Amino acid sequence: MGKVHIVISEMEINCRAALLLAMVYAAVVSGTGNAQDTIFPAIISFGDSSVDVGNNNHRPTYFKANYPPYGKDYMNHKPTGRFCNGKLLKLWDLRGMHLHILVEKQQEETCFLEPTLRQLHPDAIPLSKQLEYFKAYQKKLEKVAGGVKSREIIRDALLNKVYTPHQYSSYLVSVFAGFVKKLYSLGARRVGVTSLLPLGCVPEARNFVKYSHQGCVSSINNVALQFNKKINLTTETLQEQLPGLKIVVLNIFEPLYDLIRSPAKYGFVETRRGCCATAGRRSGTMSVLCNPKSRRSCANATEYVFWDNVHPTEAANQYNMNTCNKMALVLLAVVFAFVAGTHAQDTLVPAIITFGDSAVDVGNNDYLPTLFKANYPPYGRDFVNHKPTGRFCNGKLATDITAETLGFKTYPPAYLSPEASGKNLLIGANFASAASGYDDKAAIVNHAIPLTQQLQYFKEYKGKLAKVAGSNKSDTIIKGALYLLSAGSSDFVQNYYVNPYLNKVYTADQYGSYLVGAFTTFIKGLYGLGARKIGVTSLPPLGCLPAARTLFGYHESGCVSRLNTDAQQFNKKINAAASSLQKQLPGSTIVIFDIFKPLYDLVQSPSSQGFKEARRGCCGTGTVETTSLLCNPKSPGTCPNATQYVFWDSVHPSQAANQVLADALIVQGISLIG
């Protein structure tokens, strides 16, 4: 422990060894009735350089970032005081989003040990002083908004505290507890706290130890892990002691450690040093070493995890929202939890109820006389217990990953399976059927479950649920459930494009209008049965599916542009229909999940997110396989590592790609939670 003590003492000299990825500060549309249409009326921040947006610009301190090259990739390419080349953890660009960040005297060099802090950095603002500023802010707010309104804002605001400790000790935790209690006494009720990141992986921390060039400093990381355990226990105690307090610790250690250990997997090149100047030697965050005249600064910050010796690049911040990184999902889930409260099963919605096609079928077709099944190897080889379940994937579907993010420990069962009975019905059910879609006639020909029949099964499910849960509880579940619908791909790829009786009579646009009509009828029927929160996937880039390239690509070297154009036109129609339906159906929230863009971006630039192959699937040749006739245990050429492939078979994404899509779904669907 001697070496550890020496390292921590060095770290005391540099409180700016801040958390790599800051809290998400975003207010998103939720229909809560606030004047500004945000979940929270205000966001009030305390902390250090991870979240400082410019307070140090107005302080006599070396620790500033209001000069180039800081901010070179920010709005207007100007520095703002953010310790980054661009945005701090990506400010979400969601439809209808309004961002309201109210920061009062946030300071970069803020740490727990205030006596030491004042000796080392006399210009830093201690936490106790930040609280005094917060009191002053309350008085200013009262003058602007009035007494009643200001109290409402303070009561409902989301207050975020980022902690960067000097050393692992009970004293730090007691100071943390005291701060939260004071914050609580001033009206705070929703507090998000980040854990320590893997401090031993920060370039500046590596510089303190001579052998650190070989990797992260494990002794420092162990200290961070131990502190995180203690801070978690303390927050549990605080929540029990303080009525109405909702306090959550965000675990950022594991996802960040994964990124640093496997940067190539997520499209990064460099993790050991930052982009700005040398950024691999000491004090790479001050203007003395990172400034407009700095030499050796990298040309492309998107390849770097760190911007300087401590702070992340914008690319690393965006990574949290756009890749497999679980941290982004955890942060989102916490925001949801603040709004939604808790359910008996500790999930953010009481149930998930799914309709649609093979993209979301979890095994209903196993019980049907149809060719469109996936209950045999190699399907499911990377799923739980490495067994096929009927999912058209090597592992989890995007909806499985979404369910996990929302707190579900098990997945809603396929309605036709024996598991769809008793208490299993309390978390929802899955009615989806591969080869189904908006066109009932095509589903019937394929011996799949048409959407109209899926709706009838849902009505039957409601009756079973009432018997299990009782009338009142079942009504609550039905009203609060998240409803998901995935359809349209089979209608075009397996029906319209290969059926001359359709494509010779109707244009793709006309057929799309017919499908949108069926969609409208389905949503109205679902609403009539109690659904209020409905998420619907758009069409993917149909022309980029390996099967589509094989069958319709002819001499095109890339995606089939004609099919992609058809998909985009359909997506416009279904978005317009959803907007119209939401106006017609009181209390409904209908979100169209745009899966076209994230999947298209993945296909066009697979290496940017750690993939190697996007033109063909993993199973067999990967160009035409999708049923047992072509993708089966005897299929030659099946790849050994599906994580490198965007597609599992010639139509369906791999589990790795589904993770990317799930990230997009959860971000776009925030308004459905709560």
Side-chain angles (χ1 to χ4, degrees), residues 1-8 168 219 222-223 226:
M1 290 300 291
K3 289 184 178 179
V4 175
H5 177 73
I6 293 172
V7 171
I8 292 175
Y168 179 74
S219 58
N222 288 336
V223 169
Q226 291 169 2

Side-chain angles (χ1 to χ4, degrees), residues 6 15 22-23 85 87 106 198 257 332 384 397 426 434 458 461 481 556 653 663:
I6 293 172
C15 291
M23 276 288 292
N85 62 306
K87 298 174 183 175
Q106 184 181 337
Y257 186 72
L332 287 167
V384 180
L397 304 178
L426 295 174
F458 172 58
Y461 160 81
E556 289 190 59
D663 290 356

Side-chain angles (χ1 to χ4, degrees), residues 2-21:
K3 289 184 178 179
V4 175
H5 177 73
I6 293 172
V7 171
I8 292 175
S9 296
E10 292 280 5
M11 291 297 285
E12 287 181 359
I13 299 175
N14 220 323
C15 291
R16 65 183 181 280
L19 305 180
L20 174 62
L21 300 173

Side-chain angles (χ1 to χ4, degrees), residues 377-379 381-382 394 616-622 625 630-642 645 648-649:
Y379 286 101
R381 73 178 193 185
D382 299 313
N394 62 302
R616 66 186 189 90
C618 168
C619 189
T621 66
E625 292 86 350
L630 296 171
C631 180
N632 55 55
K634 298 181 180 180
S635 298
T638 297
C639 75
N641 184 8
Y645 283 67
W648 163 245
D649 56 25

Side-chain angles (χ1 to χ4, degrees), residues 351-354 362 391 399-400 403 408 410-415 424 427-430:
I352 299 177
I353 297 170
T354 307
V362 297
R391 289 167 169 81
T399 47
D400 294 328
F408 288 83
T410 58
Y411 309 122
Y415 187 68
N424 290 342
I427 62 169
N430 185 303

Side-chain angles (χ1 to χ4, degrees), residues 41 83 265 409 472 584 608:
F83 283 77
K265 181 179 178 181
K409 300 300 187 293
N472 291 337
Q584 296 173 32
S608 67

